[in-house]
Amino acid sequence: MAQSAKSDIWLAAGLRTPFAKVDGPLSNVDAIAMSVPVVKHMIERLGGAKPDFAVWGNVVPNLTWSNIAREILMDAGVDATVPAYSTVMACSTSMMGVFEAAGMIDGEVRNLALVGGVDSLSQVQLGLGMSLSNWVRQFQTARSLGQKLTHAIDLKLSDVRLYIPAVSNRTTGMSMGEHTEITAKEWHISREAQDQVALESHQHAVAAWDRGFFDDLVIPFDGVRRDTIPRKDTSLEKLARLPPSFDRKSGKGTLTAGNSSPLTDGASSIWVASQKGLEKLPANTARVKLVDWEIASVDFRTEGLLMAPPYAIPRLLARQSLTYADVQLWEIHEAFAAQVLAHIKALDSPAFIRDKVGVTADFGQFPRNRVNPNGGSIALGHPFGATGARILSQAVKELAAMPKGSRAIVSICADGGQGTVALLEAA
């Protein structure tokens, strides 16, 4: 699936909370409460104006809301006449929200959209198993004491089960890490190479924080002022000492807690606008053009679960008659270091691009040194619903400081064998 953005669609950098590991300093805050201050700060920037609509997503389910976007805007005190809807596409959730908003912006009635996402992996609600849920519902609707007693006798011990959400694929029953272990073996991704990616992610994130790159992208929240996950003291030696996390039995496991993105709490946002919509934003807000985007899906029963982006990127570049060298900034979501390296290997393989993707263009050698200059999800964290807006806002700020005409590719892999890719341009 492909879509060329209208010529006047812009992305403007948004705000986010600091990101923190699960059960860390943000663990007592649910997804709505975590999003509200982000939305308040974004609306304050409009100086009394308002967005035309809002899109907000989260991945971890909760039984107490059905449209989290509307709940967040109401709690944030946003004008109740601003429509808001929710979206979800696993780790691509808030990037998909951007694409959806871009398709709705028309330069006339709809000019400015507030888009974002959130997840609190510390606030995961457990549910009743389906059999027990049905029993409780039917017990509540029984009208007489006799009916309730009869129904109570029908309850079987085997029906008394809890539903505990897991970070796993429903079709295969395997976790993201277990799937990526398979990908690492298929693509011959070494443990050493994965640890190097992880080290660079931390080094780049720490350096970016130290030079103030994140100061106007992250708001203090609940006593936390900056991301808590980047580590100044990590090293290849420390990373090498960590045991495998997903393949502990074969002796060949290479994915560890150190080279995988951590379960994370956080919320993030971004603006999607027409030229007219940009006029509502402060003049110093970083903004770039959204030129094009691509959404890809693969059959994860035969392909790697997180390998859709290497299909999407060549199709997008070929459509725009671009090579790798024509793209000055690459932001690749780091679900796992092994997944990033597998993507790069695939993109560097003419046979993969020709035979698997079906594209015959020559894109040249992939520029590894242009990837994630300010850190990626391994170091910054990965609240599933928030990552899209985080990585896009980060790319917008970095790209907006580059010369006019510079380009960025932003890529996210997602559960279900899907992926989203955006092409941005400084203007």
Side-chain angles (χ1 to χ4, degrees), residues 79-271:
D79 188 328
T81 64
V82 176
Y85 73 91
S86 303
T87 194
V88 63
M89 188 178 160
C91 306
S92 289
T93 290
S94 46
M95 182 182 272
M96 276 303 303
V98 165
F99 296 167
E100 291 166 355
M104 294 172 67
I105 296 288
D106 60 10
E108 298 176 2
V109 177
R110 293 178 295 275
N111 290 288
L112 182 64
L114 171 60
V115 180
V118 61
D119 264 304
S120 172
L121 275 296
S122 299
Q123 297 272 325
V124 177
Q125 185 177 30
L126 307 185
L128 303 181
M130 202 65 241
S131 295
L132 184 57
S133 294
N134 289 336
W135 182 89
V136 171
R137 179 178 56 80
Q138 292 165 3
F139 183 83
Q140 289 179 322
T141 58
R143 296 186 176 182
S144 68
L145 177 61
Q147 288 176 329
K148 288 183 180 294
L149 290 173
T150 300
H151 189 62
I153 295 171
D154 291 338
L155 180 64
K156 301 180 181 64
L157 184 60
S158 60
D159 292 334
V160 182
R161 295 182 179 180
L162 289 177
Y163 169 71
I164 303 176
V167 186
S168 61
N169 180 269
R170 175 184 172 274
T171 300
T172 66
M174 296 169 60
S175 71
M176 308 298 104
E178 289 170 329
H179 272 281
T180 307
E181 275 284 9
I182 295 172
T183 299
K185 293 177 177 65
E186 289 178 344
W187 284 90
H188 305 290
I189 308 296
S190 71
R191 166 69 181 272
E192 292 75 18
Q194 294 175 53
D195 287 349
Q196 182 65 41
V197 168
L199 177 64
E200 291 173 3
S201 185
H202 283 275
Q203 290 174 334
H204 292 168
V206 169
W209 267 108
D210 288 348
R211 69 174 182 272
F213 177 81
F214 290 108
D215 288 353
D216 58 355
L217 296 176
V218 179
I219 60 171
F221 175 65
D222 208 33
V224 183
R225 299 192 62 85
R226 59 188 288 171
D227 299 321
T228 66
I229 301 167
R231 298 186 58 171
K232 290 185 179 181
D233 63 345
T234 195
S235 66
L236 288 177
E237 292 73 23
K238 290 181 178 180
L239 290 167
R241 289 197 291 267
L242 296 174
S245 296
F246 304 102
D247 177 6
R248 299 184 176 97
K249 297 180 180 180
S250 74
K252 299 179 181 179
T254 57
L255 274 69
T256 71
N259 57 40
S260 306
S261 60
L263 297 177
T264 310
D265 301 331
S268 64
S269 63
I270 191 169
W271 295 111

Side-chain angles (χ1 to χ4, degrees), residues 283-321:
N284 63 350
T285 306
R287 75 280 306 271
V288 301
K289 282 188 177 181
L290 173 60
V291 176
D292 199 354
W293 67 86
E294 181 81 17
I295 306 168
S297 295
V298 299
D299 186 346
F300 57 87
R301 294 166 298 186
T302 56
E303 298 281 347
L305 182 76
L306 303 181
M307 288 296 288
Y311 286 79
I313 291 170
R315 293 169 183 164
L316 188 155
L317 293 178
R319 186 164 63 246
Q320 294 291 330
S321 300

Side-chain angles (χ1 to χ4, degrees), residues 330-334 339-340 343-344 366 371-372 391 409 411:
W330 294 79
E331 288 283 351
I332 301 179
H333 166 48
E334 299 168 349
Q339 152 259 315
V340 174
H343 288 188
I344 293 173
F366 185 84
V371 176
N372 299 352
I391 197 171
I409 287 284
S411 170

Side-chain angles (χ1 to χ4, degrees), residues 11 288-291 392 395-396 399 406-408 410 422-425:
L11 303 186
V288 301
K289 282 188 177 181
L290 173 60
V291 176
L392 281 167
V396 167
L399 183 64
S406 299
R407 303 180 185 88
V410 185
L423 174 63
L424 313 179
E425 183 176 302

Side-chain angles (χ1 to χ4, degrees), residues 14-17 32-51 54 56 69 71-79 114-115 219-221 267-269 271:
L15 299 169
R16 65 175 176 89
T17 66
I32 292 178
M34 198 173 300
S35 302
V36 165
V38 175
V39 170
K40 284 184 174 180
H41 277 78
M42 290 288 278
I43 297 299
E44 286 172 2
R45 290 189 163 187
L46 298 182
K50 62 183 180 180
W56 209 268
E71 304 294 346
I72 291 167
L73 262 63
M74 295 304 293
D75 282 11
V78 178
D79 188 328
L114 171 60
V115 180
I219 60 171
F221 175 65
S268 64
S269 63
W271 295 111

